[in-house]
Amino acid sequence: MINGENYKRRRKETFSDDEDSCSTDNEPKKKDLNGIITSLLLLEEQEKRDHEEQNEASNEEKSILESNHKRKTRTMLEFYTNFQDYYSEIDETDRVKRKKSRTMAASVAVAAVSQTENQSPNQQNKQSGSGQQRRLWVKDRSKAWWDDCNRPDYPEEEFKKAFRMSKSTFELICEELNSVIAKEDTTLRNAIPVKQRVAVCIWRLATGEPLRLVSKRFGLGISTCHKLVLEVCSAIRSVLMPKYLHWPEEDSLRKIKEEFEGISGIPNVVGSMYTTHIPIIAPKISVAAYFNKRHTERNQKTSYSITVQGVVDPRGVFTDVCIGWPGSMTDDQVLEKSALYQRANGGLLKGVWIVGSSGYPLMDWVLVPYTQQHLTWTQHAFNEKIGEIQKIAKEAFGRLKGRWCCLQKRTEVKLQDLPVVLGACCVLHNICEMMDEGIDPDLKFALADDEMVPEVALKSVSSMKARDAIAHNLLHHGLAGTAFL
């Protein structure tokens, strides 16, 4: 019995020892498994963090690129504006310097003459004999052509062919500018007459001929002709532009609305708008900004240009112009940069329309044709009538470039001086139109400015409804034509 109990006790002790040994063996395995699981969780967490950091880095890089692009665009536009202001200041400084130098030269000449007069005859003879006396040398140039044109009996047709206007209109311009551009004679030389000054400028703008040919025609130096063109253009812009190129008053606007409505049947139209490009030589700075992709593709020749945006009345007279923005900008971008856009946002054009091409967006004050495919009869009729208003602006720009051939080809004028010259051309165009100066059919110029549909073609839902109402009235009141059928 005792032996049996001892046997059982030994069995228990042996079994418990086995259990202890098994549990001791399993503990390291559990620890290893827990370590592996923990490592996997840590790796997964690290991978998530890396992925989030990559996303944050890519988003930050994207925002940096966008901000850099916006900053570069803004900087380019600010640079262009500062560029114009800088050269305006330089021109003003040069003008003051030239004026001072002329005054000093005149005073020196007067002093020299008075000194010579006060000298005794013997002293004068000695100086002349010794060869020390200085004389002013002037190249002898023939101005027979201009003297012939300036004769009272010179044929009117020949004069108009040379200067794109009649003698009476030319005399009017000379009288208007006389007080600004007239110069006094000096002891060194006689001043160039006002008529000759104006003639040099207008003939240069009308023909677009190089300055060396202008010099031969008028018997003046090349640099003198260049200076005269810029001086007269500046005077035209400062003196004549406020008088002949400005936004109409209320009475005139009422007449303009009536005339446009009589032409198209569309009410409350106060202007027809168009944007053209003027070719230029590749500038030394901001070349990409002035690169004209559309003209380059069409002409198979690298083209650079600046823009001229204009609004005209039913007669083709400019009532607003925006000149000088780079040629890479689209029509709607030029419009947003114009003073007209700022005035319209201030309420100037509330309740009226300016008609533009498909290159402009539909806005509260800009009325454009339908551009989508599969137009309805009503939309066709509207496009037909609005096209008659568009044609007025396009033909006006055709006459502008036809009269002033300097706008048809790359000019010698510097980029910073071009806005002054182009502004003068627009003012002279208005004077010719107001004076009923017809244009020679041979001078008519065919415009080739590609219209690009803007990225945002609709900027006002209310104007879309108003356009639909106008189109409906045109068709159902018998005001639309039948060409669209």
Side-chain angles (χ1 to χ4, degrees):
M1 192 70 175
I2 294 171
N3 292 333
E5 289 177 358
N6 290 335
Y7 174 76
K8 288 180 179 179
R9 188 168 56 253
R10 284 196 301 270
R11 287 281 305 273
K12 271 184 184 178
E13 290 175 356
T14 304
F15 183 73
S16 62
D17 291 340
D18 291 339
E19 280 186 343
D20 292 340
S21 64
C22 287
S23 62
T24 305
D25 293 338
N26 288 333
E27 283 178 2
K29 293 180 179 179
K30 287 181 180 179
K31 289 181 179 178
D32 293 340
L33 184 60
N34 290 334
I36 292 171
I37 293 172
T38 304
S39 299
L40 290 174
L41 292 174
L42 290 173
L43 287 173
E44 186 178 358
E45 185 67 24
Q46 184 66 32
E47 187 177 356
K48 283 184 179 179
R49 287 180 188 169
D50 293 343
H51 186 65
E52 289 175 356
E53 290 177 358
Q54 287 178 357
N55 288 338
E56 290 178 1
S58 62
N59 291 333
E60 185 177 356
E61 185 177 356
K62 183 179 179 181
S63 63
I64 291 172
L65 288 174
E66 290 178 353
S67 63
N68 286 340
H69 176 71
K70 290 180 181 178
R71 188 172 67 254
K72 285 180 181 179
T73 304
R74 186 171 60 253
T75 303
M76 184 186 76
L77 295 176
E78 289 177 356
F79 175 78
Y80 174 74
T81 305
N82 295 334
F83 173 74
Q84 287 186 321
D85 295 340
Y86 170 74
Y87 275 105
S88 298
E89 293 176 1
I90 289 179
D91 291 342
E92 183 64 21
T93 305
D94 290 344
R95 188 183 66 79
V96 172
K97 287 181 179 179
R98 288 195 300 268
K99 187 175 180 180
K100 287 182 178 179
S101 63
R102 286 197 299 268
T103 305
M104 291 178 63
S107 60
V108 169
V110 171
V113 170
S114 61
Q115 184 179 0
T116 303
E117 291 176 351
N118 293 332
Q119 288 177 345
S120 63
N122 293 331
Q123 290 176 328
Q124 292 181 8
N125 292 334
K126 286 180 181 180
Q127 287 184 355
S128 60
S130 60
Q132 296 296 322
Q133 186 176 4
R134 299 180 64 186
R135 294 184 301 169
L136 179 67
W137 180 83
V138 179
K139 184 178 180 179
D140 187 21
R141 294 184 176 92
S142 172
K143 55 176 184 174
W145 181 84
W146 163 242
D147 290 338
D148 191 36
C149 291
N150 199 27
R151 286 189 296 106
D153 60 342
Y154 190 73
E156 183 76 32
E157 291 183 1
E158 294 296 323
F159 188 91
K160 187 171 183 178
K161 187 175 181 181
F163 298 99
R164 307 295 193 259
M165 61 184 69
S166 62
K167 291 182 180 180
S168 59
T169 303
F170 179 82
E171 294 283 350
L172 171 67
I173 294 172
C174 292
E175 290 176 9
E176 296 270 8
L177 299 179
N178 183 74
S179 61
V180 180
I181 64 174
K183 306 293 180 182
E184 295 182 357
D185 295 341
T186 67
T187 54
L188 298 178
R189 67 184 70 189
N190 294 331
I192 301 171
V194 170
K195 282 189 177 181
Q196 190 174 2
R197 291 173 177 270
V198 176
V200 168
C201 177
I202 292 181
W203 193 80
R204 160 84 162 140
L205 299 180
T207 61
E209 296 290 353
L211 289 170
R212 56 184 177 80
L213 294 183
V214 181
S215 171
K216 290 181 179 180
R217 288 277 184 173
F218 290 90
L220 300 170
I222 293 177
S223 60
T224 302
C225 291
H226 176 66
K227 184 178 70 173
L228 286 178
V229 171
L230 294 182
E231 285 182 357
V232 175
C233 284
S234 180
I236 290 173
R237 196 176 73 162
S238 60
V239 176
L240 300 184
M241 183 175 280
K243 185 174 182 179
Y244 292 99
L245 201 163
H246 56 82
W247 192 252
E249 302 292 337
E250 285 297 324
D251 293 339
S252 300
L253 279 179
R254 196 179 304 111
K255 294 178 182 177
I256 289 173
K257 290 179 187 178
E258 292 174 357
E259 291 181 26
F260 273 126
E261 188 169 1
I263 293 170
S264 64
I266 301 176
N268 296 322
V269 175
V270 295
S272 178
M273 181 165 55
Y274 187 83
T275 300
T276 191
H277 288 254
I278 307 299
I280 62 172
I281 298 172
K284 295 181 180 179
I285 58 172
S286 301
V287 178
Y290 294 90
F291 175 67
N292 191 318
K293 181 180 178 182
R294 291 156 287 172
H295 288 194
T296 299
E297 291 174 350
R298 187 191 320 108
N299 301 329
Q300 299 298 312
K301 183 179 180 181
T302 305
S303 300
Y304 300 89
S305 66
I306 67 171
T307 59
V308 178
Q309 173 191 284
V311 179
V312 303
D313 66 10
R315 295 181 297 169
V317 174
F318 289 107
T319 56
D320 183 88
V321 290
C322 176
I323 300 170
W325 288 101
S328 63
M329 297 174 66
T330 58
D331 293 354
D332 61 313
Q333 290 174 334
V334 175
L335 176 62
E336 289 182 1
K337 296 295 181 183
S338 66
L340 178 68
Y341 188 88
Q342 305 301 325
R343 296 200 303 269
N345 287 342
L348 174 68
L349 300 176
K350 189 174 182 180
V352 298
W353 296 107
I354 290 179
V355 170
S357 65
S358 57
Y360 301 99
L362 180 63
M363 302 167 60
D364 290 332
W365 52 279
V366 179
L367 190 62
V368 299
Y370 292 97
T371 56
Q372 69 267 26
Q373 294 181 345
H374 310 299
L375 299 179
T376 64
W377 282 13
T378 305
Q379 293 168 343
H380 271 296
F382 175 83
N383 283 2
E384 177 187 333
K385 301 306 290 184
I386 202 175
E388 296 178 4
I389 300 179
Q390 287 177 263
K391 186 171 68 173
I392 294 173
K394 194 166 184 176
E395 289 179 348
F397 271 97
R399 292 195 297 276
L400 172 73
K401 287 190 173 183
R403 277 194 182 101
W404 315 117
C405 295
C406 65
L407 308 180
Q408 300 176 16
K409 52 189 177 181
R410 295 184 298 178
T411 177
E412 300 168 349
V413 180
K414 294 179 181 179
L415 184 61
Q416 66 268 20
D417 296 326
L418 264 179
V420 176
V421 175
L422 299 180
C425 289
C426 292
V427 174
L428 293 173
H429 164 88
N430 276 9
I431 294 175
C432 290
E433 294 289 315
M434 292 175 181
M435 298 298 174
D436 294 325
E437 299 284 355
I439 184 171
D440 191 334
D442 295 335
L443 296 175
K444 287 185 178 180
F445 184 78
L447 297 176
D449 295 310
D450 302 318
E451 296 174 359
M452 294 180 63
V453 177
E455 293 181 4
V456 182
L458 177 63
K459 291 191 175 181
S460 171
V461 177
S462 60
S463 60
M464 181 177 65
K465 295 178 180 178
R467 180 175 65 175
D468 292 340
I470 293 172
H472 181 272
N473 289 334
L474 287 176
L475 184 65
H476 294 280
H477 287 79
L479 298 175
T482 57
F484 64 92
L485 296 175

